[in-house]
């Protein structure tokens, strides 16, 4: 086991524990804006769908029920502008993190193969490469990479942690480059319904891919848009030539979404109203926190989408983390997401209205 664990970096969140203790000692309690875990209730129709499917004694299928696949195809066409999506273009997964961590292994990558991801990025992209013993490389512009040995290119728009959105033109250029060089593109679009100052576009949109899904797959999650982080509900959509073999591998590995969760996803993707309500909650929290941070001497960069504010006081991120922890506010240090984040912190919008107001008060007094 140590041979596997030795390939991995230290689990980053463990380093935040001392600061969490400091923040928790605040007389009015901690305001946790670090991990970004949803705090609002699971919408009632989704809960009801889960409960109605609770009597599910049999094994679920990895590919999901026909009703689930129908829901996935309808949603990608309705919300992303995709065209001609069939059941063979979609695949349920057990939350997006397991997919990110194990995708290089499931694709058969190994020594000599390269996995690329943004310079500032979700740490699990690198973890996935390490688990497969593949090489990993960070980029500013993927089209400037040496394509030799590059087998998997991760895009992330809207970005975690920065909230940056790739334009339709940028996506089109990157997809064309990847196809020219035979590089598989996986686009992490888990925050695509949470655009604030930009309108995020999917690689599934025909204006980006020219009406073809060859060599592209998008990753979607219900954790943030529907508060289903506890359900582990996500899915892939894109090239059937990629998803077909992944389905077979995942069948052998027993990587199946529970039957009640599948029913809940059908309900969640069929209802846009709860997404609108949740967006309004996050928009209000974003406005309040952004104004308070700016008033406290922070500068906000990017952050035009997603559930985070990418903030800096032009000092070490750990100095900023300590400064805020003394005020009972816990945030994520930017270097969790790569050395380029060493002077930034990521401030999540995922706290209750009451806790957000507590943070605002502490930042403005």
């Amino acid at each position: 086991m140590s041979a596997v664990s030795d390939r991995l970096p230290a689990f980053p969140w463990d380093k935040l524990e001392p600061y969490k203790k400091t923040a928790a000692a605040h007389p009015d309690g901690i305001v946790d804006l670090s991990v970004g875990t949803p705090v609002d209730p699971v919408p009632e129709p989704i809960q009801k769908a889960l409960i109605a499917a609770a009597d599910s004694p049999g094994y679920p299928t990895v590919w999901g029920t026909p009703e689930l696949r129908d829901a996935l195809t309808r949603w990608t066409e309705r919300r992303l502008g995709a065209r001609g999506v069939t059941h063979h273009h979609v695949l349920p997964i057990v939350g997006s993190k397991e997919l990110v961590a194990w995708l290089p292994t499931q694709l058969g990558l190994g020594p000599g193969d390269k996995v690329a991801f943004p310079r500032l990025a979700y740490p699990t992209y690198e973890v996935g490469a390490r688990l497969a013993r593949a090489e990993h490389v960070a980029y500013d512009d993927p089209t400037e990479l040496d394509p030799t040995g590059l087998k998997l290119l991760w895009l992330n728009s809207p970005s975690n942690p920065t909230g940056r959105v790739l334009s339709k033109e940028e996506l089109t250029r990157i997809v064309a480059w990847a196809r020219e060089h035979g590089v598989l593109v996986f686009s992490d679009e888990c925050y695509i319904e949470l655009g604030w100052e930009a309108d995020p576009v999917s690689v599934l949109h025909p204006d980006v891919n020219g009406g073809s899904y060859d060599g592209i797959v998008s990753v979607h999650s219900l954790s943030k848009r529907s508060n289903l982080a506890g359900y582990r509900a996500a899915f892939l959509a894109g090239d059937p030539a990629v998803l077909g073999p992944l389905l077979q591998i995942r069948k052998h590995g027993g990587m199946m979404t529970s039957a009640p969760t599948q029913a809940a996803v059908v309900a969640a993707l069929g209802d846009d109203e709860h997404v609108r309500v949740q967006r309004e909650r996050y928009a209000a929290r974003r406005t309040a926190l952004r104004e308070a941070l700016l008033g406290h001497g922070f500068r906000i960069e990017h952050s035009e989408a997603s559930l985070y504010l990418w903030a800096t006081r032009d000092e070490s991120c750990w100095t900023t983390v300590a400064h805020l922890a003394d005020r009972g506010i816990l945030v994520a240090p930017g270097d969790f997401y790569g050395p380029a984040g060493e002077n930034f912190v990521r401030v999540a919008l995922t706290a209750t209205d009451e806790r957000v107001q507590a943070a605002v008060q502490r930042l403005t007094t």
Side-chain angles (χ1 to χ4, degrees):
M1 286 301 297
S2 64
V4 177
S5 62
D6 286 350
R7 296 179 217 155
L8 304 178
F11 189 62
W13 295 102
D14 290 345
K15 296 194 292 186
L16 203 56
E17 281 302 313
Y19 302 91
K20 186 174 184 178
K21 290 180 180 177
T22 298
H26 190 279
D28 187 38
I30 188 173
V31 179
D32 193 341
L33 307 177
S34 61
V35 175
T37 188
V39 298
D40 298 304
V42 173
E44 189 173 347
I46 302 175
Q47 292 191 48
K48 287 182 176 179
L50 183 87
I51 292 167
D55 186 13
S56 298
Y59 290 111
T61 64
V62 173
W63 201 15
T65 62
E67 293 79 11
L68 175 58
R69 283 176 264 141
D70 283 343
L72 300 181
T73 58
R74 284 195 298 264
W75 184 85
T76 56
E77 293 193 341
R78 186 179 81 253
R79 301 293 285 172
L80 305 181
R83 295 291 179 264
V85 180
T86 72
H87 286 194
H88 294 282
H89 291 87
V90 295
L91 179 62
I93 54 177
V94 192
S96 58
K97 184 171 185 175
E98 67 88 355
L99 181 282
V100 174
W102 294 107
L103 179 64
T105 299
Q106 291 176 11
L107 292 174
L109 305 190
D113 298 324
K114 291 188 292 187
V115 176
F117 45 79
R119 183 82 55 194
L120 285 164
Y122 184 45
T124 312
Y125 301 136
E126 179 181 334
V127 166
R130 288 176 175 271
L131 285 171
R133 293 192 177 94
E135 298 175 25
H136 56 87
V137 57
Y139 65 77
D140 295 308
D141 180 345
T143 66
E144 296 177 355
L145 291 168
D146 178 356
T148 305
L150 180 58
K151 298 298 179 63
L152 174 61
L153 172 63
W154 278 108
L155 304 181
N156 181 208
S157 175
S159 164
N160 174 16
T162 68
R164 183 189 171 204
V165 173
L166 295 174
S167 69
K168 185 182 294 184
E169 293 72 24
E170 288 176 293
L171 288 171
T172 302
R173 177 175 59 85
I174 293 167
V175 167
W177 178 89
R179 284 174 168 169
E180 178 185 352
H181 296 286
V183 177
L184 176 61
V185 173
F186 263 68
S187 181
D188 182 346
E189 301 174 355
C190 289
Y191 298 92
I192 200 162
E193 292 192 281
L194 294 166
W196 310 116
E197 296 157 1
D199 187 13
V201 179
S202 172
V203 294
L204 300 184
H205 196 285
D207 288 354
V208 171
N209 60 43
S212 168
Y213 300 117
D214 291 350
I216 56 172
V217 177
S218 61
V219 184
H220 297 277
S221 169
L222 285 83
S223 292
K224 305 305 196 303
R225 51 96 70 190
S226 297
N227 299 331
L228 296 191
Y231 284 44
R232 309 314 303 135
F235 66 94
L236 306 178
D239 190 347
V242 177
L243 299 188
L246 282 179
L247 172 59
Q248 297 306 314
I249 292 167
R250 295 171 70 83
K251 283 181 178 178
H252 283 289
M255 305 179 84
M256 59 190 80
T257 306
S258 75
T261 295
Q262 292 187 29
V265 171
V266 173
L269 293 182
D271 173 45
D272 294 335
E273 176 60 16
H274 80 274
V275 180
R276 184 192 66 78
V277 171
Q278 190 61 46
R279 274 182 55 87
E280 289 184 355
R281 291 188 184 120
Y282 285 137
R285 293 166 186 166
R286 179 181 183 273
T287 297
L289 285 169
R290 187 176 187 279
E291 292 179 356
L293 288 166
L294 291 173
H296 197 72
F298 281 86
R299 186 175 76 255
I300 308 294
E301 291 194 1
H302 300 300
S303 308
E304 59 262 32
S306 83
L307 284 183
Y308 312 104
L309 293 169
W310 188 238
T312 181
R313 300 202 311 166
D314 295 310
E315 63 187 9
S316 164
C317 59
W318 289 101
T319 301
T320 307
V321 167
H323 170 80
L324 292 174
D326 287 340
R327 286 153 180 78
I329 302 169
L330 188 68
V331 298
D335 65 3
F336 277 10
Y337 308 95
E342 63 183 1
N343 291 332
F344 286 80
V345 293
R346 192 195 73 172
V347 183
L349 310 180
T350 50
T352 64
D353 293 342
E354 183 273 330
R355 287 288 84 189
V356 167
Q357 286 305 311
V360 168
Q361 184 176 10
R362 296 173 195 181
L363 290 168
T364 54
T365 56

